[in-house]
């Protein structure tokens, strides 16, 4: 009985003194998975990893798998503000961040709107129109912003360039 009381007293002291194992936090080089909801400044949801949110917001794509997004912290392919926001988070932690264009897809650059001769565009059976989207040889999505008989003005900016974005992020897992 004394031994049990001693163990309980020791456990109580450790609990009260705050001695506990610190939560593991995400660091550069870790492979992480996150759930997220991305919004424009006006609150319009443009992307999410959560199917219920996609359905509620009218952006559901039945061909897309809705699952946590996995990436390597500090690696390539993730916008820098999102990557930075996840660093230091613990599993289960939620965070809301607002990213300036510089932290997201960059500022909108007028010099990236250029004329391209129609003869240089892929053959098409109908005339090109403002708003038509094309893919470059490198897979970049671009949009026609003006067109005449000889050329199309094509916007080579990322579609979200110049946008301030808000993300609600939940860290799901960390793997070193």
């Amino acid at each position: 009985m004394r031994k049990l009381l001693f163990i309980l007293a020791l456990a109580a002291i450790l609990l009260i003194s705050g001695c506990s194992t610190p939560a593991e936090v995400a660091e550069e080089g870790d492979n992480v998975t996150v759930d997220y909801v991305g919004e424009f400044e006006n609150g319009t949801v443009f992307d999410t990893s959560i199917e219920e949110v996609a359905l509620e917001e009218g952006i559901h794509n039945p061909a897309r798998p809705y699952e946590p997004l996995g990436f390597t912290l500090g690696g390539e392919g993730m916008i820098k503000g999102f990557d930075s926001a996840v660093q230091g988070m613990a599993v289960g932690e939620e965070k809301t961040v607002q990213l300036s264009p510089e932290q997201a897809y960059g500022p909108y650059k007028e010099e990236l709107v250029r004329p391209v001769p129609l003869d240089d565009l892929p053959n098409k059976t109908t005339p090109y129109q403002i708003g038509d989207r094309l893919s470059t040889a490198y897979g970049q999505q671009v949009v026609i912003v003006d067109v005449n008989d000889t050329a199309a003005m094509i916007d080579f900016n990322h579609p979200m360039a110049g946008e301030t974005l808000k993300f609600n992020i939940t860290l799901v897992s960390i793997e070193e």
Side-chain angles (χ1 to χ4, degrees):
M1 182 69 165
R2 275 190 174 170
K3 194 174 185 180
L4 179 60
L5 287 175
F6 176 75
I7 291 172
L8 288 174
L10 184 59
I13 290 169
L14 288 174
L15 267 171
I16 293 169
S17 69
C19 292
S20 62
T21 306
E24 180 183 11
V25 296
E27 299 174 346
E28 189 167 331
D30 288 344
N31 293 315
V32 297
T33 58
V34 298
D35 271 323
Y36 68 92
V37 177
E39 301 176 6
F40 293 113
E41 269 185 299
N42 67 6
T44 301
V45 174
F46 63 85
D47 193 18
T48 182
S49 63
I50 305 166
E51 188 165 23
E52 298 78 36
V53 173
L55 288 164
E56 288 171 12
E57 298 295 329
I59 61 168
H60 186 264
N61 177 351
R64 174 189 170 178
Y66 287 89
E67 57 192 25
L69 171 67
F71 63 98
T72 302
L73 283 174
E76 297 293 317
M78 185 57 57
I79 58 175
K80 65 182 176 180
F82 193 98
D83 187 283
S84 295
V86 174
Q87 290 190 36
M89 289 180 69
V91 171
E93 183 178 348
E94 295 180 26
K95 180 186 280 188
T96 299
V97 295
Q98 186 164 315
L99 305 181
S100 68
E102 293 74 22
Q103 297 168 309
Y105 293 98
Y108 187 87
K109 298 177 182 176
E110 288 294 335
E111 62 270 20
L112 293 179
V113 180
R114 295 181 233 143
V116 175
L118 292 178
D119 291 341
D120 291 349
L121 297 177
N123 290 336
K124 187 176 169 194
T125 57
T126 60
Y128 287 102
Q129 297 180 3
I130 294 172
D132 282 353
R133 296 191 176 277
L134 307 171
S135 291
T136 67
Y138 302 105
Q140 178 188 10
Q141 295 293 305
V142 297
V143 65
I144 295 177
V145 294
D146 197 11
V147 65
N148 60 35
D149 292 338
T150 61
M153 290 296 289
I154 298 186
D155 187 346
F156 288 88
N157 283 286
H158 187 282
M160 288 191 270
E163 296 282 353
T164 297
L165 305 176
K166 182 174 115 179
F167 288 95
N168 299 309
I169 304 167
T170 303
L171 183 59
V172 175
S173 70
I174 302 172
E175 292 180 25
E176 294 180 21

